[in-house]
Amino acid sequence: METFISRKRRRLSDTEDNSVSAPTPNQDDTSADDESTDYKLALLASLHPGHDHDILLEALLASEGSVPLALQTLKLKDPQEVSPRKKLATWKGYQASLSSFNIIRKDDASEKNGINKKLLTKKGKTLHLYSPEDIEAHTPCSIIHNFLSPDQADALLLELLEEAPTFQKESFKLFDLVVQSPHTMCFYVDSWNEAESQKTDYVYNGSYIKDVRQTLPEMQKVSAKVQSAVNQEIQRRIHKHYPNGQKLRYQSPDRWKPNAAFVNCYDGGAESVGYHSDQLTYLGPRAVIGSISLGVAREFRVRKIVPRDDDDGAKGKDKTADGSRADEEGQISIHLPHNSLLVMHAEMQEEWKHSIAPALAIDPHPIARNKRINITYRCYKDSLHPRFTPKCKCGIPTVLRCVQKKKENRGRYMWMCHANYTPGKEGCSFFQWAEFDDNGEPPWAKKAKETRGNNETQKAHYT
Ligand SMILES: O=C(O)CCC(=O)C(=O)O
Ligand SMILES: [Fe+2]
């Protein structure tokens, strides 16, 4: 698929968050306003896949945020030339379980009750987490190791390794360059009808996905298991971690039922994906995602988005290259071994970003060799089918975004023009605040349900 993002820096209004577009179709930016650090890092990573993200960040900081200057620095600095000391400094050792040291992070519930949260992460540092207890206590994720039987995990891996050579790198446009996402991927949905509808109705960053496939047999079998595990994890999370043991506002009370999946393939340690949040346009607010890892173990890094006051820049507080303070709390690395299920819970996409970091070294897997396969199972909502969502002045269904940084509007949703992100197309500056009820349904949900009911009756009639 060809297209993606191209966007000149443009401020629509005070309500605009600094998010722009995505390195892959299901991803909502690299926080990519043209000047965000993540956006620049995504660009540098795609042009220099062999460099560790820490080195890219260093080059960017040394160049005072200028991408062309950072590119020059990096050209001079081949990964092979990185000093052994630097390599040692970026090498991640094993860290014992935090829970075994009795370190407690007060969760959001206690924060609400006025208890101060002690941060375990530090600016510029990576905290490595391995145990399910630590991961669920310190991030909006939970993990189940050895999720499938060894035979089923191998069968799923083999099924996808056979497909992986046909996956595509996504091309996207940053500044004046067309760059490629630093890994390959493919999109699967559960029925042929759905695949056809995806190709013609669903817009991702201003264009349509041409290669939409039908979920494969092993993927389908595993989907049922993911569904049941994710629903259990959602309930556990609600009772254990959310204020008053209640689901979050806008979170769906319905059973989570996956009907689509993005499959990613990372061939070797250099392949990665930059920091991003997943696009909520078709998943809705407070989306939950079930993510299976197969093959080579890799690091999944997460980072909380730091809200920003408009005058923070003026006060010159603790700024990163782009003037944001996104790195203030450091990052957490979750280790994803073969046959693990990671659940990204409802607070993840709006408040955190995630990435797969390039690895300096990997342990080859007996079946996958250097490859890691990842499946993210997702639940596309009927009520967010593009036939129902607002259209912009260009006549294209709009993209749903959440204000992530600006303190005054943080957590509000908005519909915006996709075309701003399409190479060769100027956007129309369409903007509308998005309304959802407490269960995350848009105002037209009832109408959407009736339409679906009618379609199903018609189908039953003709078959
Ligand atoms: O490979 C992974 O674990 C994450 C992939 C991802 O973030 C995505 O597909 O949006
Ligand atoms: Fe993602």
Side-chain angles (χ1 to χ4, degrees):
M1 169 163 110
E2 310 100 296
T3 53
F4 292 116
I5 349 165
S6 146
R7 170 176 182 273
K8 296 210 180 71
R9 180 156 169 76
R10 214 172 38 91
R11 290 193 80 81
L12 296 177
S13 72
D14 281 345
T15 52
E16 185 191 17
D17 192 28
N18 283 326
S19 305
V20 199
S21 51
T24 62
N26 60 321
Q27 294 164 4
D28 199 9
D29 97 57
T30 42
S31 171
D33 88 357
D34 292 6
E35 291 176 15
S36 97
T37 304
D38 289 334
Y39 189 72
K40 291 172 182 175
L41 280 175
L43 171 59
L44 294 178
S46 73
L47 297 171
H48 287 274
H51 283 299
D52 187 87
H53 274 191
D54 295 344
I55 292 173
L56 300 179
L57 182 60
E58 211 174 86
L60 194 56
L61 289 170
S63 316
E64 297 187 334
S66 154
V67 171
L69 277 181
L71 283 170
Q72 271 179 20
T73 317
L74 288 164
K75 258 188 211 137
L76 301 173
K77 202 173 184 180
D78 193 71
Q80 275 76 32
E81 289 170 25
V82 177
S83 77
R85 210 167 140 234
K86 178 91 215 173
K87 274 196 180 155
L88 258 184
T90 51
W91 184 255
K92 312 298 185 290
Y94 179 79
Q95 177 179 285
S97 155
L98 290 179
S99 34
S100 67
F101 290 106
N102 249 349
I103 298 175
I104 297 157
R105 176 169 180 149
K106 315 286 190 315
D107 56 25
D108 288 348
S110 48
E111 191 181 19
K112 266 216 148 164
N113 296 333
I115 303 166
N116 261 344
K117 186 161 68 173
K118 186 175 176 308
L119 290 175
L120 294 172
T121 50
K122 265 196 171 154
K123 184 178 162 100
K125 294 272 186 293
T126 307
L127 175 73
H128 292 262
L129 300 181
Y130 298 83
S131 80
E133 296 75 26
D134 288 341
I135 290 164
E136 79 169 60
H138 304 293
T139 75
C141 301
S142 53
I143 195 166
I144 301 176
H145 290 139
N146 302 311
F147 174 62
L148 302 169
S149 72
D151 286 350
Q152 191 167 26
D154 287 355
L156 181 61
L157 174 59
L158 285 167
E159 180 178 76
L160 290 167
L161 282 175
E162 208 177 308
E163 293 260 303
T166 61
F167 292 178
Q168 297 288 312
K169 280 188 182 220
E170 302 302 332
S171 301
F172 57 103
K173 208 172 158 194
L174 289 174
F175 304 105
D176 290 332
L177 297 163
V178 175
V179 292
Q180 299 221 299
S181 67
H183 73 283
T184 56
M185 62 181 305
C186 194
F187 186 41
Y188 293 83
V189 288
D190 284 356
S191 69
W192 188 86
N193 271 348
E194 199 45 48
E196 288 310 297
S197 161
Q198 278 286 344
K199 287 184 214 169
T200 50
D201 302 339
Y202 285 79
V203 183
Y204 296 87
N205 298 318
S207 51
Y208 297 89
I209 302 186
K210 293 195 187 92
D211 182 7
V212 182
R213 303 184 191 177
Q214 241 183 290
T215 310
L216 301 167
E218 290 300 328
M219 277 175 82
Q220 191 74 62
K221 282 186 223 157
V222 170
S223 170
K225 294 197 172 163
V226 171
Q227 178 175 335
S228 124
V230 167
N231 281 303
Q232 273 184 27
E233 288 296 298
I234 293 174
Q235 289 313 318
R236 222 167 49 74
R237 180 116 196 137
I238 291 176
H239 293 126
K240 234 179 128 183
H241 294 277
Y242 293 170
N244 308 319
Q246 303 283 317
K247 76 164 186 72
L248 302 183
R249 187 172 184 206
Y250 304 133
Q251 183 174 3
S252 172
D254 300 340
R255 249 180 97 70
W256 181 85
K257 194 170 181 321
N259 50 15
F262 279 89
V263 180
N264 298 299
C265 175
Y266 304 84
D267 190 0
E271 294 208 349
S272 64
V273 64
Y275 267 113
H276 65 277
S277 308
D278 290 1
Q279 221 187 76
L280 298 177
T281 309
Y282 308 119
L283 310 179
R286 298 301 192 192
V288 174
I289 292 171
S291 173
I292 291 203
S293 294
L294 299 164
V296 168
R298 295 287 297 267
E299 279 184 44
F300 181 74
R301 292 190 180 172
V302 300
R303 191 181 72 185
K304 191 154 190 177
I305 300 162
V306 181
R308 190 194 60 196
D309 275 334
D310 256 357
D311 61 349
D312 279 359
K315 287 178 199 155
K317 280 195 224 162
D318 241 346
K319 290 186 295 182
T320 55
D322 66 335
S324 81
R325 296 185 298 139
D327 193 34
E328 199 170 46
E329 292 194 10
Q331 58 189 352
I332 295 177
S333 172
I334 299 175
H335 289 252
L336 297 180
H338 171 68
N339 195 10
S340 55
L341 171 70
L342 182 89
V343 182
M344 293 191 240
H345 286 281
E347 59 274 46
M348 181 81 169
Q349 306 307 331
E350 280 88 340
E351 294 160 31
W352 292 66
K353 291 196 175 200
H354 57 276
S355 67
I356 293 288
L360 285 176
I362 52 171
D363 285 334
H365 181 272
I367 298 174
R369 302 170 77 106
N370 290 340
K371 290 195 174 93
R372 169 176 182 264
I373 298 284
N374 162 257
I375 314 167
T376 54
Y377 287 95
R378 293 152 193 263
C379 174
Y380 275 49
K381 278 189 168 182
D382 288 335
S383 58
L384 295 179
H385 186 286
R387 86 168 67 93
F388 302 116
T389 54
K391 297 207 175 33
C392 66
K393 292 176 219 156
C394 321
I396 303 170
T398 43
V399 60
L400 179 65
R401 295 181 179 279
C402 177
V403 180
Q404 293 178 314
K405 281 189 179 168
K406 284 201 166 178
K407 272 187 190 156
E408 65 271 28
N409 284 318
R410 197 172 192 226
R412 288 191 76 179
Y413 298 91
M414 55 210 168
W415 297 105
M416 293 172 77
C417 173
H418 267 289
N420 299 326
Y421 315 113
T422 315
K425 283 189 195 160
E426 272 295 314
C428 70
S429 83
F430 179 90
F431 171 89
Q432 181 182 307
W433 286 116
E435 308 271 346
F436 293 101
D437 66 16
D438 282 359
N439 294 333
E441 288 298 339
W444 54 83
K446 206 165 149 234
K447 190 176 117 203
K449 213 169 175 183
E450 282 164 14
T451 314
R452 187 188 152 91
N454 289 343
N455 285 349
E456 267 165 15
T457 322
Q458 267 178 18
K459 255 191 242 157
H461 189 75
Y462 289 112
T463 48

